[in-house]
Amino acid sequence: MNAHTDAYTATGCRRKRAHRARLLLGTNGERLLRTLWYRFHPPRRPAVAALSALVLALTALSVPAAARAEAAAPPGGVLDSGTKSLTWQSPVYEKGTVDAPDKCPPPAQDPAGAVCARFDLTVRPPAHQWDDNPEGGVPVSVQWATPTDDFDLYVYDDAGKQVASSAGTADPEATVIPKASGTYHVVVVPYDVHHDSFTGTAYLPEPTDAGNLTAFAGKDGTYDIAAGALKARVDFLADDTLRLRAAPDGTFTDPPGSHMIQTQPKPQKDTKSFDAGGYYGIRSKDTVLRVYKKPLRFALYKGDNKTVIWSEADPLRWTSGGMRQSLSRGADEQFFGGGEQNGSFSHRDQVMNVGNNTNWNEGGWNNSQPFYISSAGYGVFRDTFTPGVYDFGPHVRTGQQERRLDAYYFTGDVKSVIGKYTSLVGKPFMPPVYGLEPGDSDCYLHNANRGERHTLDALKVADGYTQNQLPLGWMLVNDGYGCGYENLAETGKGLRAHNAQLGLWTQDGLDKLADQVKAGQRVAKLDVAWVGNGYGFALNACDQAKAGIEDNSDARGFVWLPVSWAGAQRCGVLWSGDQKLSWDYLRWQIPTYAGATLSGIAYNTGDVGSIFGHDPKMYTRDLQWKAFLPAIMTMDGWAKDLTTGKAADQQPWLDGEPYASINRKYLQLKERLIPYMYGLSKDATKTGVGAVRPLSLEYPDDPNTLGADAKYEFLAGPDFLVAPVYSDTSVRDGIYLPKGTWTDYWTGKTYQGPTTIDHYAAPLDTLPLFVKGGSIVPMWPQGTTSWETRNKGELDYDIYPRLGTSSYTLYEDDGVTRQFAQGASATQRVQVTSAGRASVVNVGASVGSYQGKPASRAYRLTVHGGTAPTIVALGGQRLRRYGSAAELGAAGTGWFFDPATGVTQIRTPSQSTGRGFSVEIA
């Protein structure tokens, strides 16, 4: 999302679903909200006498004007042990009034709620009300008669801090005040209405627990269970996936309009049940489900029926609008997942939220998913579109705001659980190769921030990338919110001349996508307006946008979206929304994107340098580490310089030196590493595991990978360890290196892990970067700035030998079409065997074919570590040694040893890709 509403409001170009300002206000604007509350909040009046009727009218149109002004305080009500629910009615609004609560007048100027509706809600919860409540707080909702209308709901505490909101396009708008106690101020904005009113409700949720087992029967992998009116059903599915459903009213339902599950696992019919006295047991291939009788509880064990995987600590509990499951927590049990959780990847002793959230900052969860993984050997997906709260404290309580349970349980280690979960909701998509190159985004037509421009002006920016030798894979040239486009085909043609693809925001609808794709569009960006009732709209739009590109071209769909739900990994790149620049912004994004991988999200990123602020040093530091994310984008046209306050575009060369050269260094390195990242993308389509990983994913037995130091570093694939600099310093402390040999990418210095590095010298041009021993990294030739113009006659392998044998398999296809899905691809296996001072590099034949595959190519091998070789031979024939890299480059074939880095550079003559060869280094 790019929340630049103010620019468009100034030119009258804001559209109905441009929820920018109000969503930003609802999540990022705490300072503004505090000002707002103190502006309009008067002293509270006594409780309204009509509470006994439970219907409290906001309408005061019949009261004389003088009396209304005198009684300007909002009406209100009290929830306590005597009054468990409240209902109130709003005035009738002939049309929409304002688009954000900061535009609501003070109550004295709006006594009848003609502009904004207000209600003061006081909550006096009974003792222990929130100790174990499925909904976790007071649900508040507003519902209206005409579904196409739109009211927005905001709730503030007595200090003016926003504590809850619902400002999407849903009807009803519903939210929960967490663990409510005290007085809260409900503000409802009639955003887009037509002679409509709403009914507001709030209640104290009262829990009910499952009782004793009253019925148990089943066969062929499906078992029906009852505890009075509560009915439960267990389905045993392939790969020991277990589906557990429970309904207090006895009726099982699916989420309305759901397309989350793409492939339902097949039933596993070979199961047997037995009566163990205190419980019924159901034995499947590798697990045993226990169904305890008094009271009804569930527990999953391994096949030995002795080793617990998970166990309910208490029976299922539900209210009128929520259901939770309570699980025992292991002494060292860790919890991951939840989709994108801004600022964290490990959730033990934390409360994890999932829901329709547009808090782009630390603590937000705008791309969350109702899924988590436990280090105890299981993961859970709740098949729902409703918000949820997952408390991973000493008492693990996981719940959604719905009166049903529909959960899939996957067993195995973290990687295998990710694989099984993504088999259910969709494996990550295979991006086009240009999707791994940097993208640039701006509004060119009618951008009030930058003056009148035209769509073809985007080509001037593309010129800048070319002239500055910077990679550019694609450009978004409009944003849909009043910034349309013109000369589309001509713009697309001009971008193609710069080896870049045309992208467009798709804010209003997808009906124009076919014509736009035929005119050259290959990238589609969705926005918060696509998040409709229950997320179905957002997920459907993602699927449709991807299909719209693929149905009208031979390209692969490439879609971006900022608010999503389970399943979005199959169709889009997720990014963490609109942020303001600060060093903190750099810091909290690190665990965010690494953690998202643990929910099968292979492509998660943030704007380089943020959208709203610009500082040359912070921009450069941010770009350095984001060069190791698969997908990155600069957002231009809305930033202001943090020092001068002046408008500042954010192309990577605009700050001049030394920044331009440093940015070029890292973007060209990113370009060279595309063969490596591309292979990881292909792996993700099979395993569900993306490139950006927390250290704990690869080193699950090392508790230090969950420590404070490791939280702010990540692995790019299994081979690169990246430790970003996220403060204004030239020294990086607390770099944790797990077990193994690690080589400093810049100096060649080696470290033996596990160890922690302090005082690492990291001037502005240096990103702390380490490569694991045994790594074999494919790279494009130096100086490559585009996948299209690269030297296809050369491929490089960067090699870090270790004692013994290591291997790597290169994956290649045409990079842009969908022919790879029919097998049009090739692989090449490289094996390195090292025994002390001697190493052998075996490069296998490239097996397979695709359009454009080179028949032959030369290879450049950079072999790290050790002293200068005595002999380097290719297929038994000695290669000539040169005294410098320049001499080797001029000769084209031979080898050179650099004593400063301990690197041996070897260049081979052109080799047939159909035959393998070996290089001996002794």
Side-chain angles (χ1 to χ4, degrees):
M1 175 184 171
N2 60 1
H4 40 274
T5 312
D6 291 344
Y8 297 142
T9 302
T11 57
C13 296
R14 181 178 178 133
R15 297 184 182 178
K16 190 251 177 196
R17 293 299 181 195
H19 289 174
R20 310 280 194 179
R22 61 195 175 91
L23 289 177
L24 282 175
L25 179 74
T27 56
N28 302 339
E30 182 177 318
R31 174 178 55 81
L32 181 59
L33 289 172
R34 190 176 299 274
T35 301
L36 164 64
W37 175 247
Y38 285 122
R39 187 184 77 186
F40 71 62
H41 179 250
R44 296 191 304 279
R45 67 176 183 175
V48 178
L51 273 176
S52 59
L54 301 181
V55 178
L56 307 173
L58 284 172
T59 308
L61 298 179
S62 62
V63 180
R68 292 202 307 269
E70 192 175 32
V78 177
L79 290 175
D80 56 20
S81 56
T83 303
K84 297 295 182 71
S85 65
L86 295 171
T87 302
W88 67 95
Q89 186 66 40
S90 80
V92 174
Y93 295 92
E94 292 301 325
K95 61 180 180 179
T97 58
V98 294
D99 55 19
D102 64 316
K103 298 177 182 177
C104 296
Q109 298 176 17
D110 188 25
V115 179
C116 296
R118 299 179 178 87
F119 187 82
D120 280 3
L121 175 65
T122 299
V123 182
R124 298 171 185 153
H128 309 295
Q129 171 75 26
W130 307 127
D131 286 356
D132 182 13
N133 195 288
E135 296 184 73
V138 168
V140 181
S141 66
V142 294
Q143 187 164 21
W144 51 94
T146 306
T148 56
D149 284 352
D150 192 1
F151 289 86
D152 289 334
L153 170 66
Y154 302 86
V155 184
Y156 310 102
D157 65 15
D158 224 8
K161 179 182 178 181
Q162 181 181 310
V163 294
S165 69
S166 182
T169 59
D171 176 15
E173 295 282 11
T175 187
V176 171
I177 306 174
K179 298 184 178 180
S181 180
T183 297
Y184 301 89
H185 311 285
V186 180
V187 179
V188 179
V189 176
Y191 178 63
D192 186 6
V193 300
H194 308 81
H195 190 76
D196 208 351
S197 64
F198 68 82
T199 301
T201 60
Y203 64 89
L204 278 173
E206 298 184 83
T208 301
D209 290 339
N212 293 338
L213 183 74
T214 56
F216 176 89
K219 62 179 181 177
D220 295 335
T222 296
Y223 295 82
D224 288 308
I225 299 154
L230 174 74
K231 299 297 188 293
R233 179 170 294 165
V234 176
D235 295 302
F236 289 84
L237 307 171
D239 294 326
D240 265 345
T241 296
L242 177 74
R243 184 184 186 187
L244 172 61
R245 286 176 283 178
D249 62 1
T251 302
F252 303 123
T253 59
D254 291 323
S258 173
H259 298 277
M260 285 181 288
I261 295 176
Q262 285 205 309
T263 304
Q264 185 75 22
K266 295 180 180 179
Q268 186 185 119
K269 296 185 177 182
D270 187 16
T271 61
K272 295 181 180 179
S273 64
F274 57 91
D275 190 340
Y279 65 88
Y280 286 103
I282 309 171
R283 187 180 299 279
S284 66
K285 179 182 176 184
D286 295 312
T287 60
V288 173
L289 180 71
R290 294 185 180 183
V291 182
Y292 290 100
K293 300 177 180 179
K294 295 182 179 180
L296 172 64
R297 290 186 299 113
F298 299 92
L300 188 66
Y301 281 70
K302 292 185 178 181
D304 59 8
N305 199 21
K306 297 178 180 179
T307 308
V308 65
I309 300 174
W310 58 261
S311 177
E312 289 187 338
D314 298 297
L316 291 173
R317 171 173 284 191
W318 62 89
T319 63
S320 59
M323 177 175 276
R324 71 98 178 98
Q325 184 178 43
S326 176
L327 301 176
S328 299
R329 189 181 77 172
D332 300 313
E333 189 174 3
Q334 301 291 334
F335 302 90
F336 313 100
E340 179 191 301
Q341 296 286 325
N342 288 348
S344 63
F345 75 89
S346 178
H347 310 307
R348 181 182 170 93
D349 292 322
Q350 305 295 321
V351 174
M352 183 184 84
N353 290 276
V354 297
N356 183 351
N357 178 261
T358 48
N359 179 354
W360 313 126
N361 296 319
E362 187 170 16
W365 56 89
N366 48 294
N367 284 300
S368 54
Q369 300 190 3
F371 166 76
Y372 74 90
I373 302 177
S374 164
S375 63
Y378 74 94
V380 185
F381 165 63
R382 297 285 284 262
D383 186 15
T384 178
F385 282 131
T386 64
V389 177
Y390 297 71
D391 187 339
F392 296 116
H395 303 285
V396 176
R397 291 172 176 139
T398 65
Q400 305 290 147
Q401 291 173 25
E402 61 181 357
R403 204 165 178 258
R404 60 186 283 273
L405 173 72
D406 189 353
Y408 290 78
Y409 299 83
F410 316 96
T411 57
D413 62 20
V414 173
K415 283 187 177 180
S416 66
V417 168
I418 294 171
K420 293 173 183 179
Y421 168 56
T422 52
S423 291
L424 189 72
V425 301
K427 287 287 194 292
F429 71 100
M430 184 66 184
V433 65
Y434 50 77
L436 302 181
E437 296 180 317
D440 188 284
S441 305
D442 203 344
C443 159
Y444 287 94
L445 187 65
H446 311 312
N447 185 336
N449 288 326
R450 297 295 185 266
E452 184 63 23
R453 299 190 298 184
H454 297 280
T455 307
L456 285 170
D457 288 331
L459 302 183
K460 299 175 184 176
V461 175
D463 286 339
Y465 278 92
T466 301
Q467 293 165 8
N468 286 279
Q469 298 179 302
L470 288 161
L472 177 66
W474 48 278
M475 289 186 71
L476 296 172
V477 300
N478 78 319
D479 83 344
Y481 292 93
C483 179
Y485 56 78
E486 59 189 7
N487 302 312
L488 192 62
E490 188 177 355
T491 302
K493 182 178 179 182
L495 290 177
R496 294 294 301 116
H498 288 284
N499 306 304
Q501 300 290 337
L502 173 67
L504 294 171
W505 271 275
T506 307
Q507 188 268 334
D508 292 347
L510 297 169
D511 57 304
K512 298 179 181 178
L513 193 55
D515 290 338
Q516 291 170 170
V517 171
K518 292 172 184 176
Q521 180 185 1
R522 293 296 181 270
V523 183
K525 175 181 171 290
L526 305 176
D527 220 310
V528 294
W530 284 112
V531 182
N533 288 321
Y535 293 91
F537 196 21
L539 186 56
N540 294 348
C542 183
D543 286 333
Q544 291 168 21
K546 183 174 184 290
I549 294 173
E550 296 182 350
D551 290 346
N552 295 283
S553 72
D554 64 353
R556 304 172 197 174
F558 191 55
V559 181
W560 284 57
L561 66 164
V563 180
S564 62
W565 200 241
Q569 49 264 66
R570 71 191 185 219
C571 55
V573 176
L574 311 182
W575 95 104
S576 54
D578 296 357
Q579 292 101 11
K580 294 183 178 180
L581 184 62
S582 68
W583 288 111
D584 253 4
Y585 166 74
L586 274 65
R587 174 190 56 79
W588 64 255
Q589 289 181 102
I590 300 165
T592 300
Y593 307 139
T597 301
L598 301 180
S599 296
I601 299 172
Y603 307 99
N604 196 196
T605 188
D607 300 331
V608 175
S610 86
I611 177 177
F612 293 120
H614 184 80
D615 173 83
K617 184 182 291 185
M618 281 189 269
Y619 179 94
T620 296
R621 284 298 197 192
D622 198 35
L623 182 146
Q624 285 176 0
W625 73 269
K626 284 180 177 170
F628 284 84
L629 304 181
I632 64 169
M633 169 176 69
T634 60
M635 183 68 72
D636 305 297
W638 294 272
K640 292 184 178 180
D641 187 276
L642 296 185
T643 301
T644 67
K646 295 181 179 179
D649 285 333
Q650 302 205 75
Q651 281 83 23
W653 67 88
L654 292 179
D655 290 319
E657 297 301 339
Y659 310 104
S661 293
I662 299 171
N663 296 338
R664 181 182 302 111
K665 166 184 171 180
Y666 284 94
L667 290 181
Q668 286 193 4
L669 177 58
K670 176 178 177 60
E671 190 75 17
R672 290 196 68 201
L673 286 170
I674 282 181
Y676 179 73
M677 282 290 182
Y678 197 68
L680 292 171
S681 294
K682 181 60 177 178
D683 291 344
T685 66
K686 300 176 181 178
T687 66
V689 180
V692 181
R693 308 169 184 182
L695 273 61
S696 63
L697 184 62
E698 298 294 336
Y699 301 90
D701 298 325
D702 183 348
N704 291 317
T705 62
L706 298 170
D709 289 339
K711 181 176 181 178
Y712 297 111
E713 55 194 56
F714 65 93
L715 296 168
D719 301 293
F720 289 94
L721 189 150
V722 184
V725 177
Y726 52 86
S727 61
D728 190 5
T729 180
S730 59
V731 175
R732 178 63 153 86
D733 291 326
I735 301 174
Y736 181 71
L737 304 178
K739 182 180 179 181
T741 300
W742 297 90
T743 299
D744 186 315
Y745 188 80
W746 310 112
T747 67
K749 182 178 179 180
T750 59
Y751 300 84
Q752 195 65 38
T755 188
T756 299
I757 304 172
D758 289 322
H759 312 302
Y760 180 91
L764 186 60
D765 68 342
T766 302
L767 168 73
L769 180 64
F770 304 86
V771 189
K772 184 176 69 175
S775 297
I776 302 168
V777 181
M779 303 178 75
W780 284 338
Q782 288 182 335
T784 299
T785 57
S786 170
W787 72 276
E788 291 190 271
T789 61
R790 73 187 189 278
N791 178 8
K792 297 181 181 179
E794 178 185 323
L795 181 66
D796 300 350
Y797 281 105
D798 200 26
I799 299 171
Y800 297 79
R802 67 181 176 195
L803 289 176
T805 299
S806 56
S807 63
Y808 175 84
T809 299
L810 174 73
Y811 172 83
E812 298 175 288
D813 58 33
D814 65 29
V816 290
T817 77
R818 303 187 299 281
Q819 292 301 311
F820 75 94
Q822 281 73 52
S825 61
T827 58
Q828 182 179 52
R829 181 177 171 84
V830 180
Q831 181 173 288
V832 178
T833 303
S834 182
R837 298 180 63 185
S839 297
V840 177
V841 181
N842 286 300
V843 180
S846 177
V847 180
S849 64
Y850 58 90
Q851 185 69 34
K853 177 182 175 179
S856 62
R857 59 190 173 201
Y859 293 84
R860 179 175 176 266
L861 311 179
T862 50
V863 184
H864 294 254
T867 57
T870 303
I871 298 172
V872 175
L874 171 64
Q877 300 295 315
R878 296 179 65 163
L879 296 176
R880 181 178 174 180
R881 178 177 183 176
Y882 289 90
S884 69
E887 291 179 10
L888 175 60
T893 302
W895 65 279
F896 160 70
F897 177 77
D898 184 354
T901 60
V903 174
T904 302
Q905 297 185 31
I906 305 166
R907 296 176 70 97
T908 76
S910 185
Q911 308 286 311
S912 168
T913 54
R915 294 194 302 271
F917 64 92
S918 62
V919 174
E920 299 85 26
I921 307 165

